Amino acid sequence: MTQALSGAAIALVIAVCWVLGRPKRTILRSTDASSIAALNRGQMELVTPGGGAAGKNATGSASSAAIQLPAASDRRGRLELLAQLQRSFDQGGPARREAMATCLRWGHREALPLIRRGLKDADSAVARLAAEAMSSFRGRTTASLSPAQAAKPPRNVARTR
């Protein structure tokens, strides 16, 4: 019995030393959060457009409307437009939004890789335009419209007949 009591006493002493010896966690060094608020305001100014952005959006929509979309049979025109869209998408910022708006207006399958890149973009306006452009490609694909070929029976079917 004394061995059990001494073992329990030692375990109790170890538990007390462990609990009292741990450093206390401090959640905040101070309750002053003004520096964090200033940092958040600075980050928000970088993300949200300023007062001069309204004039940029008006000229941006005019320049995207000025891009002539090629006909479906014009292979060279499609390739040139796609290359132009790639270049403007790589520039970033308003040019990327204009490129995605042009992809939305164009609605051609060759713009799908660019639209998929736009879906993963950090700019929410680009991602929204890419989602709108992708919505026209959702649903049944042209591959499923082709008639299904009859599957051949397995080789051992002849033995079962």
Side-chain angles (χ1 to χ4, degrees):
M1 187 72 168
T2 58
Q3 291 176 349
L5 287 176
S6 64
I10 290 174
L12 182 68
V13 168
I14 290 174
V16 167
C17 290
W18 180 71
V19 168
L20 294 177
R22 286 183 16 200
K24 304 280 190 272
R25 289 187 179 174
T26 55
I27 295 174
L28 290 175
R29 292 184 188 152
S30 70
T31 57
D32 182 27
S34 61
S35 62
I36 295 172
L39 177 67
N40 287 342
R41 281 192 296 274
Q43 294 295 322
M44 288 302 293
E45 288 175 2
L46 294 174
V47 175
T48 57
K56 289 181 183 177
N57 287 341
T59 59
S61 61
S63 65
S64 66
I67 296 176
Q68 293 296 324
L69 300 178
S73 61
D74 185 15
R75 175 90 174 137
R76 175 177 278 179
R78 286 187 314 212
L79 291 176
E80 288 174 0
L81 177 64
L82 193 59
Q84 180 183 1
L85 290 174
Q86 288 280 355
R87 284 191 302 271
S88 61
F89 193 84
D90 291 338
Q91 288 175 359
R96 183 173 288 178
R97 285 189 286 274
E98 290 175 17
M100 200 51 59
T102 305
C103 287
L104 175 63
R105 283 191 316 116
W106 189 23
H108 197 271
R109 295 182 66 89
E110 290 183 7
L112 273 174
L114 193 63
I115 294 171
R116 286 188 190 113
R117 278 179 56 194
L119 286 173
K120 300 173 188 172
D121 198 82
D123 187 4
S124 61
V126 174
R128 183 178 36 81
L129 286 170
E132 288 178 32
M134 185 62 84
S135 66
S136 63
F137 295 105
R138 301 219 188 272
R140 186 183 303 180
T141 61
T142 57
S144 65
L145 294 176
S146 62
Q149 295 180 353
K152 285 184 170 181
R155 292 186 315 176
N156 60 358
V157 170
R159 296 180 189 161
T160 60
R161 291 184 182 172

